[in-house]
Amino acid sequence: TSKDQQGTSRSNRSTNMSSEAGGGEGEGRGRGGFGRGGGRGRGRGRGRGGRGGRGGPDENVWTPVTKLGRLVKEGKIASIEEIFLFSIPVKEAEIIDFFLKDKLQDEVMKIMPVQKQSSAGQRTRFKAFVAVGDCSGHIGLGVKCSSEVATAIRGAITSAKLNVAPVRRGYWGRVSGMPHTVPCKVTGKCGSVSVRLIPAPRGTGLVASPAGKKLMHMAGIDDCYSSSRGHTRTMGNTIKALFYALRATYGYLSPELWKDNAILAHPYQEHTDFLAKKQI
């Protein structure tokens, strides 16, 4: 009889422990015990749905946070030239992707280690220079520093997209066919490096350093002479000076641009009713 009583008490005890550990549907939020993920406990696995699961909202969907982004996503702005015409600052890289997604190419121009002296010794990080362009009159240059190379490159690509600028192209001599060179002599300067771009006849090609050829090809220039001075071994300053020179092509008002143009309404003014609506 005593053996039967001991067996019964053991079975009751094991039943109580299992109910406390596993938890039923009603009170199954017990901590620990056997089978941590049993029932609806607070285990690590939260399933595919709900908050933070794989079944949540798509992360690749762009949700604009600026006025310009909202107008671009709704199709109120037809081309990227409208943004440049009104000198609207671009704060979202997705805006550039929206217009130039298929045509945009990126090229890592240089990766260099930079060091900072700290109390614990030297702290090394990596600086990445990345150029983006569509070979059709748009060029951007981005610089980013990070402790990892991949992170620096990603950040530099985003920075380059935010710095995309239009490049004006022109002719050397007779105006026929598509524009092939810079419209006039332009200069860019960064640090001690000064780069001058000079128009060249059709068929000349790009007379520049390897880095300069890459940048001008991505900008859509086929023929150009270049002249540089300063410490051009500093690659970062050289490609920055070249980028500033390409960006300056629209800063010079040549006679063919003297004619009067109708003043259009600013996109923010034109679509003020849409922007006044509350974003859901």
Side-chain angles (χ1 to χ4, degrees):
T1 309
S2 59
K3 286 183 181 180
D4 294 340
Q5 289 175 354
Q6 285 177 3
T8 308
S9 62
R10 281 178 190 168
S11 61
N12 291 338
R13 201 178 307 150
S14 63
T15 308
N16 293 335
M17 286 174 67
S18 63
S19 62
E20 286 175 8
E25 284 293 317
E27 22 174 303
R29 294 195 178 266
R31 302 186 186 183
F34 301 107
R36 193 169 173 188
R40 297 175 59 190
R42 288 177 174 266
R44 291 184 185 175
R46 295 213 175 201
R48 289 180 174 266
R51 205 173 45 178
R54 293 187 187 175
D58 191 2
E59 294 178 0
N60 295 326
V61 175
W62 172 40
T63 305
V65 294
T66 59
K67 288 182 182 178
L68 180 61
R70 289 173 61 192
L71 291 177
V72 167
K73 191 171 182 183
E74 288 295 321
K76 306 286 186 184
I77 293 180
S79 68
I80 196 171
E81 272 64 41
E82 278 189 57
I83 298 173
F84 296 139
L85 179 64
F86 293 98
S87 301
I88 306 172
V90 178
K91 302 289 185 184
E92 295 178 84
E94 289 84 1
I95 294 172
I96 304 300
D97 285 333
F98 186 88
F99 289 116
L100 306 175
K101 178 71 174 176
D102 301 327
K103 298 177 281 185
L104 211 61
Q105 304 172 1
D106 55 76
E107 178 86 30
V108 178
M109 305 299 291
K110 184 177 177 64
I111 296 172
M112 58 183 288
V114 291
Q115 288 183 328
K116 172 186 176 181
Q117 188 70 37
S118 64
S119 59
Q122 290 177 336
R123 177 179 150 210
T124 304
R125 295 199 298 171
F126 299 96
K127 193 176 185 181
F129 293 84
V130 175
V132 298
D134 63 348
C135 301
S136 185
H138 299 102
I139 188 75
L141 182 68
V143 184
K144 179 67 178 174
C145 197
S146 180
S147 56
E148 293 182 9
V149 175
T151 312
I153 292 173
R154 270 200 310 272
I157 290 173
T158 304
S159 177
K161 287 176 182 176
L162 296 177
N163 291 328
V164 165
V167 178
R168 187 171 163 225
R169 292 166 292 171
Y171 300 91
W172 182 94
R174 193 173 71 170
V175 179
S176 65
M178 296 296 290
H180 63 98
T181 184
V182 288
C184 57
K185 295 176 184 176
V186 286
T187 307
K189 190 173 188 301
C190 181
S192 69
V193 182
S194 179
V195 176
R196 191 183 194 207
L197 302 181
I198 303 160
R202 199 182 291 275
T204 303
L206 298 172
V207 184
S209 63
K213 285 181 180 178
K214 281 182 190 175
L215 265 182
M216 285 193 274
H217 174 70
M218 292 174 83
I221 292 172
D222 300 323
D223 310 289
C224 188
Y225 294 124
S226 70
S227 166
S228 59
R229 57 179 297 173
H231 199 273
T232 53
R233 256 185 68 186
T234 310
M235 179 68 73
N237 287 353
T238 304
I239 57 182
K240 274 186 178 180
L242 193 54
F243 172 65
Y244 295 152
L246 290 169
R247 200 172 61 177
T249 51
Y250 264 110
Y252 183 76
L253 197 65
S254 54
E256 60 264 27
L257 298 177
W258 287 359
K259 60 183 179 182
D260 292 334
N261 291 318
I263 299 174
L264 303 173
H266 195 283
Y268 291 175
Q269 187 67 36
E270 186 181 350
H271 304 291
T272 184
D273 295 333
F274 170 77
L275 292 172
K277 292 178 185 175
K278 201 167 187 179
Q279 194 176 5
I280 301 172

